[in-house]
Amino acid sequence: MWPTLNRLREPMTLAGVFTLAAVSLGLRFLPPEVLPAAAAALVAYALGFLLFALAPDTWERQRRIALVAMAGLALLLAWLTPRVGTAQVLLVVWVACAVNVLSPRGVIGAALVLNLAFYALMVHHEFGAPLTMTLINIGFQALAGLCVHYARRSEESRDQLALVNADLLATRALLADSARDAERLRVARELHDVAGHKLTAMKLNLRALASDPVFAVRDEVRIAQQLSTELLDDIRNVVQALRDSRGLDLQTAIRALAAPLPRPTLDLRIAEDIRITDPAVAESLLRIVQECLTNAARHANAETLMVSLSREDADMRLCIEDDGKLRGGLREGNGLSGIRERVAALGGDLRLGTAPRGGLRLDVRLPA
């Protein structure tokens, strides 16, 4: 329901609704004998427009059927109301809609056919200057089509830029974690090799002093021995803590990928005992989730993507499932082939299936 309401608030949908409402006011000038048929045709056109505008992108066939019906109804109104101008406005709206689903050549070809039909109707009704009227219509249609085309290009560029930015943020998070781990290991090695070595040497020298009868009775030597032993133990504990890495922050990186997408919503669950220290493994997991996010949004019209990473025996298990519906069954395209290649490179196993609601389900097992 919420995606439908969001589409209803889109500028093109609102503009179309207000345009159709304004066009309906012109019907009051029609003769009584054609008013019922014209009103019915306009209502049917409005329903077709709403179906086209509010239907999800996965309803491609239904949207094309609505587009064909709208074209026929616009020509019917041109036949019924040749001198009111209703059909001219509806054809402009039709071109603005067609740009969303047809290729540029398809839009141009279909618009030329519709305008030729419109011209023939104007000639049949002996409308004055039918060619001039048709050319004016083509000009308005071209303007509407170009505006919608460039608006869509702008939205696609913005969305692509947001995805690239999210990708960079996710990769930067992994790199930052990897750099912090490398720095911790460097500090741990320095403490162990330098400070630990010198403290051990000092402890041996203090032991030699303590074996001398002259110094053995002195409390200062005993206290220095005790402090050196405690300090050496403390350094060893610090070194061990630095070496015990928490692993890469995969959760933050994955959430950064999903942040710019309006849908699907990410339901991410990573078990507490999962620790990934290899940047190559983290990068592969990140790309697998990224591909599933893209597929769920583009092909399955999913609202939620469930991602869980857990440990089973000696393996890691990654389960990804969306609540959308696959169109045309499960087909392994370039994206899924890329996932299979990444899993194989890590020595894992990939199983593809269909979720209970009809969406895609991936079950990945990787050696821990």
Side-chain angles (χ1 to χ4, degrees):
M1 179 179 179
W2 295 115
T4 300
L5 293 177
N6 290 334
R7 287 177 178 272
L8 187 59
R9 292 197 295 263
E10 288 182 357
M12 193 192 82
T13 305
L14 291 176
V17 169
F18 284 122
T19 300
L20 294 177
V23 166
S24 65
L25 298 177
L27 297 183
R28 68 180 186 272
F29 300 109
L30 295 177
E33 58 271 15
V34 299
L35 180 58
L42 184 58
V43 169
Y45 185 97
L47 292 176
F49 171 78
L50 290 176
L51 172 62
F52 179 90
L54 303 181
D57 295 336
T58 52
W59 290 19
E60 185 175 349
R61 181 181 177 186
Q62 291 86 338
R63 298 180 81 196
R64 289 178 179 270
I65 292 174
L67 205 60
V68 172
M70 289 165 61
L73 291 168
L75 292 178
L76 176 61
L77 283 166
W79 171 268
L80 295 173
T81 62
R83 300 185 183 278
V84 176
T86 303
Q88 292 94 312
V89 178
L90 298 185
L91 287 176
V92 172
V93 174
W94 185 91
V95 169
C97 293
V99 171
N100 291 278
V101 295
L102 301 180
S103 65
R105 290 185 178 180
V107 174
I108 293 173
L112 287 176
V113 171
L114 290 177
N115 281 289
L116 285 174
F118 177 81
Y119 173 77
L121 289 174
M122 293 301 98
V123 171
H124 176 77
H125 285 288
E126 298 180 354
F127 189 85
L131 180 60
T132 302
M133 178 59 67
T134 303
L135 292 176
I136 293 174
N137 293 343
I138 292 175
F140 281 112
Q141 293 164 18
L143 178 62
L146 288 173
C147 288
V148 174
H149 173 72
Y150 284 112
R152 281 180 58 84
R153 289 282 298 273
S154 176
E155 289 181 359
E156 291 171 357
S157 298
R158 181 197 62 197
D159 294 342
Q160 189 65 30
L161 183 61
L163 292 176
V164 171
N165 184 56
D167 192 5
L168 291 174
L169 290 176
T171 303
R172 188 178 70 176
L174 289 182
L175 289 175
D177 271 356
S178 180
R180 282 193 293 268
D181 279 351
E183 182 64 15
R184 281 197 295 266
L185 288 175
R186 187 190 69 80
V187 172
R189 284 194 297 266
E190 291 293 327
L191 284 173
H192 179 271
D193 296 341
V194 178
H197 174 74
K198 291 183 178 180
L199 278 172
T200 301
M202 184 177 68
K203 187 176 178 181
L204 292 175
N205 280 280
L206 288 171
R207 184 181 298 174
L209 285 176
S211 63
D212 189 333
V214 177
F215 297 101
V217 296
R218 303 199 56 172
D219 291 338
E220 292 87 346
V221 175
R222 181 181 56 79
I223 293 173
Q225 272 189 300
Q226 181 180 351
L227 290 176
S228 64
T229 300
E230 292 176 356
L231 182 56
L232 186 59
D233 290 339
D234 290 340
I235 287 181
R236 285 172 177 168
N237 291 334
V238 170
V239 169
Q240 187 60 43
L242 288 172
R243 288 187 178 277
D244 289 340
S245 169
R246 296 176 291 105
L248 300 177
D249 191 359
L250 188 62
Q251 185 158 179
T252 299
I254 292 177
R255 292 194 183 280
L257 276 180
L261 294 174
R263 60 177 178 86
T265 302
L266 179 65
D267 182 5
L268 179 61
R269 301 172 186 177
I270 299 180
E272 294 182 358
D273 59 344
I274 292 294
R275 182 179 299 172
I276 299 174
T277 58
D278 188 349
V281 175
E283 175 74 10
S284 295
L285 292 174
L286 191 68
R287 298 308 167 204
I288 291 172
V289 176
Q290 182 181 32
E291 182 61 33
C292 291
L293 279 167
T294 302
N295 287 339
R298 186 177 298 171
H299 303 300
N301 196 35
E303 296 298 328
T304 304
L305 183 76
M306 287 75 73
V307 178
S308 67
L309 182 61
S310 58
R311 186 180 296 278
E312 286 191 2
D313 299 328
D315 296 334
M316 284 191 303
R317 184 182 180 188
L318 175 67
C319 292
I320 304 177
E321 178 182 324
D322 65 66
D323 61 354
K325 189 171 182 59
L326 292 173
R327 292 179 293 171
L330 180 59
R331 295 190 301 272
E332 190 167 323
N334 293 330
L336 293 179
S337 296
I339 291 177
R340 189 176 294 280
E341 291 168 0
R342 289 182 182 276
V343 173
L346 296 175
D349 177 63
L350 170 66
R351 294 183 182 181
L352 299 175
T354 304
R357 298 185 181 182
L360 179 65
R361 178 181 175 86
L362 279 81
D363 193 345
V364 179
R365 290 182 180 271
L366 297 173

